[in-house]
Every structure is written in structure tokens, then in C-alpha cells.
Amino acid sequence: MDAVVYKGEREVAVEEVDEPAIEHPNDVVIDITTTCICGSDLHMYEGRTAAEPGIVFGHENMGIVTEVGDAVSSLEKGDRVVAPFNVACGFCENCENGYTGFCTNVNPGFAGGAYGYVAMGPYQGGQAEKLRIPYADFNALKLPEGREHEDSFALLADIFPTGWHGTELANLEAGDSVAVYGAGPVGLMAAYSAKLKGASEIYVVDRVPSRLELAEEHCDAIPINFEEGNPVEQIKDLHGGGVDKGVDAVGYQAIDPDKEGDGAYDPARENPAVVINNLIRTVRPTGELGIPGLYVPDDPGAPDEMAAQGRLGIDFGLLFEKGQALGTGQCNVKQYNRELRDMIISGRADPSWVVSHRVDLEDAPEMYEKFDNREEGVTKVLLEP
């Protein structure tokens, strides 16, 4: 079958690989109908992880069940499903407590597993024609038959739940004001989640005008372009003080507006602590920060030796002085995906507006390059095998 294969720094190719098969009685195999390119994939694509050439990318996957293991009891051939990017067993202590992003059984020596991602276990990615889903009764979320809501349902694999998770980590409640740093797909979904939860004011910080326009149009957010002035000062000037809650939807490859570089994304402008430190300054005393943006313990392309070891210059003294709390960690998708699915079905939510491109799988190399360059108008790319 065809699949998107990592070849090396900033290079992927669509190549023929072995088809997945049932390996355990609790597996199913699906024909992929939609798979997504994620901002997290760019970390591997750019050579900023220990990913080895040959890995098949793709952790946001949905499709139709074509093969069913003998022990699977809730799924059958023909079922339409979406798979959380987390691979989880369902019965370890973390899974039983809802922390499926930190399953201790699926990836020995590491808490958490995922499809097609470095260090996240032996699970082939779904940017391909087919995918094996292990522990399928637990991991596969059934969807209504047909093609309705295809784009929205595809986002249940990662970015919609992850955006929601960012607001949960910050304990955002109706009436709260919130600042979301990053208007990529997760940041836009965090702002949208804040709107759905009844936030009183939503500020979204980025530098790409088309993404800020989406935040304003679909999330009722106030756009803040950090290239036009200090984002902390901009928000405080408009709000009259610190906001109640903050979300970091950027992670360790954050751009520092005080560093010079070219107009495109420039690694020379990186400062992996800048967003967290700006959030500490943006959020009021005793406010809360949610940090779903990705941070790593090792970064081969870091701007300095300390950051290469995952150690950041965070203003912890100011955090302590302000009595702020923070929550971190990857999303436990199963905590939210059923609820969000039902909101989509009922018409209460429709996150499909974030999708900018639906293209054939063979177009993946071109779209990786465009997404990596943060080109105008490229927000969320869906691939169709």
C-alpha cells in the first residue's frame, strides 16, 4: 500500500510499504478515508527529534473497519471509526483514571503510545491506505455511517480534543477571559473551545494574518499580532489587566518577536521559553495556565545547549510570586472525543472551518513543505488515500 514515509530532514515521500494485518485478537484494520498532517509531525519532518528515516507518519486517522480480530466485540466490518492519536490499553492504572495519553502498557519504558511518532511505540502511522488499531474496542470511536461531518470527525483524532484539553488544563469556565498563544490548528481549536464554553473575552496571539482572521471570524477572538508589538502589553492595554486563564498552543519551537530573522519561519528566531514566560505575564495573579503545546526532553536543533536538554529559562519566580497554577501534558483524547463527537452530530459544534486543504495522499510532500513554511492560508491539511 502507499504511505507517507519520512526520508530525512524536510523530506517525505509516498512509497509502497507492507499492509498492516491483525497481530492480536483485539485488533482491527481500517481502510483510511481521512488522515491529517499535524503540527507535531513538523517536529519530526524538520529533524528536531530522534525520528529515523523509514517511519510512516500519521497519528490523526479515521476510516472504515475491514478486518476484525476474534476478540473484538463492539466493532464489525463496515463500521466507520476515528482513532485517538493515543494508543492505550484501557486497563492500566492511568487508563482507568482517564489518562490514556500516559498508558503504561502499550510502550514499555515510556508512559504513552501513538501512531507514527518517534519514541511512541511500534505503531505504524495512518498517512497511508490502511491502519491497524490495537485494543480496538477501547481505542476506536464509532461514528455515524456515510460521509457526513467527515472533516469535523477527522479532527476528533487530535486537534479538537487537544484544543479542548488546553482549556481544561487551565480550568477555563464560563465568563473567564483567556489568552491563547498560537493560532495554528490546536490554538484555533482552543479558542473555539473557549467560545463553546462561554468565555467572556478571547485573545489569540500569532503572526500569520490568515490564522488570526480565522480566530476572529469563528471564535469571536480579538487577534493579537506579536510582530506589531509586545503581545502582553497589547492584551493588557485592551483588557485593563491580566486575563483569567492562558493556553500555550505553540510549544518549544516558539518564535521570539525580539529576535531578528527573515519573513518566513526562521529557526534563528526561536526561544522555547518565550510563550510560557509571556503567559505568566499575561495571566492575572492566581490565574491558571494550560500547556498542551509540545515540549521535549531532547531537541537536536535547539538554539542553545540548555534547550537541547529540554531545560528552559522559565520565569518560575514570577509564576510563584503571582500564585499561578499550570497544567501540562498531551491530551487524553478519550476523555473528550465522545462528548465532542455528539456535539458535532447535534450541530452544537462544527470545527471543520479550520480545514484549509483536502488533497490526495500523493500530494503529501508538497503540503508538508507548505505547512512547514507557515504559508498564508495553510491551516489544517487533510489527506485522502
Side-chain angles (χ1 to χ4, degrees):
M1 67 172 184
D2 287 339
V4 178
V5 178
Y6 177 58
K7 307 298 290 182
E9 185 175 333
R10 287 185 165 83
E11 183 182 359
V12 295
V14 177
E15 297 182 345
E16 187 171 339
V17 301
D18 292 338
E19 290 190 2
I22 299 292
E23 298 179 16
H24 188 277
N26 61 20
D27 292 347
V28 300
V29 174
I30 66 172
D31 277 349
I32 294 289
T33 56
T34 300
T35 180
C36 316
I37 299 177
C38 180
S40 298
D41 293 326
L42 295 184
H43 300 305
M44 295 185 292
Y45 176 75
E46 294 172 358
R48 297 294 291 273
T49 71
E52 297 284 343
I55 184 173
V56 174
F57 283 170
H59 58 267
E60 302 180 32
N61 309 302
M62 66 179 292
I64 306 298
V65 175
T66 57
E67 298 179 53
V68 182
D70 292 339
V72 175
S73 61
S74 64
L75 299 169
E76 57 186 32
K77 290 182 181 179
D79 282 343
R80 182 191 189 200
V81 300
V82 61
F85 76 85
N86 319 114
V87 178
C89 71
F91 52 81
C92 70
E93 182 177 5
N94 281 347
C95 283
E96 287 185 347
N97 288 327
Y99 299 117
T100 55
F102 303 88
C103 176
T104 56
N105 281 332
V106 296
N107 191 9
F110 192 90
Y115 303 97
Y117 210 87
V118 60
M120 298 298 281
Y123 307 102
Q124 183 167 281
Q127 289 177 11
E129 295 179 278
K130 296 177 180 288
L131 177 74
R132 178 179 75 95
I133 301 177
Y135 302 101
D137 284 314
F138 185 68
N139 286 314
L141 179 68
K142 289 180 69 172
L143 302 168
E145 295 180 1
R147 293 281 296 186
E148 189 176 13
H149 306 304
E150 182 81 8
D151 288 3
S152 288
F153 286 151
L155 305 182
L156 291 173
D158 185 350
I159 67 163
F160 192 15
T162 297
W164 192 275
H165 183 59
T167 65
E168 288 287 303
L169 289 171
N171 288 318
L172 185 139
E173 298 178 348
D176 283 343
S177 55
V178 61
V180 177
Y181 276 73
V186 169
L188 290 171
M189 288 295 96
Y192 187 54
S193 298
K195 175 185 175 180
L196 292 171
K197 289 184 172 187
S200 59
E201 290 180 274
I202 303 168
Y203 299 88
V204 175
V205 181
D206 205 282
R207 63 194 292 269
V208 181
S210 60
R211 295 182 174 188
L212 290 171
E213 289 167 6
L214 285 174
E216 185 174 18
E217 178 182 356
H218 295 281
C219 308
D220 299 332
I222 300 167
I224 304 293
N225 190 324
F226 66 73
E227 299 284 26
E228 297 176 357
N230 185 296
V232 178
E233 294 176 1
Q234 288 189 66
I235 292 172
K236 288 189 174 182
D237 286 346
L238 291 168
H239 183 72
V243 296
D244 298 311
K245 306 293 170 61
V247 176
D248 171 2
V250 179
Y252 73 107
Q253 287 188 255
I255 292 295
D256 190 333
D258 293 331
K259 288 188 174 183
E260 295 184 358
D262 63 30
Y265 171 72
D266 187 348
R269 300 187 70 194
E270 284 187 15
N271 176 352
V274 67
V275 168
I276 294 178
N277 287 335
N278 278 341
L279 273 177
I280 292 170
R281 287 167 169 78
T282 303
V283 174
R284 64 170 173 80
T286 73
E288 296 176 84
L289 285 57
I291 307 175
L294 179 65
Y295 290 86
V296 294
D298 299 288
D299 175 10
D304 57 63
E305 185 176 346
M306 190 170 82
Q309 302 172 44
R311 299 165 59 217
L312 310 183
I314 295 172
D315 297 331
F316 192 83
L318 183 59
L319 177 83
F320 179 89
E321 182 180 82
K322 296 181 76 171
Q324 294 169 334
L326 57 83
T328 68
Q330 69 173 331
C331 177
N332 308 295
V333 173
K334 279 185 61 67
Q335 283 192 342
Y336 317 114
N337 66 349
R338 188 177 299 271
E339 173 187 1
L340 297 179
R341 175 201 65 185
D342 293 346
M343 290 174 67
I344 292 169
I345 293 171
S346 70
R348 296 295 298 274
D350 180 6
S352 63
W353 54 265
V354 79
V355 175
S356 59
H357 294 75
R358 172 179 280 276
V359 300
D360 292 339
L361 187 72
E362 64 187 24
D363 296 322
E366 177 187 357
M367 296 313 301
Y368 263 95
E369 183 177 1
K370 290 178 179 292
F371 192 35
D372 186 47
N373 288 334
R374 281 68 168 176
E375 288 190 11
E376 282 283 352
V378 181
T379 51
K380 188 64 176 176
V381 178
L382 308 188
L383 303 175
E384 187 172 339

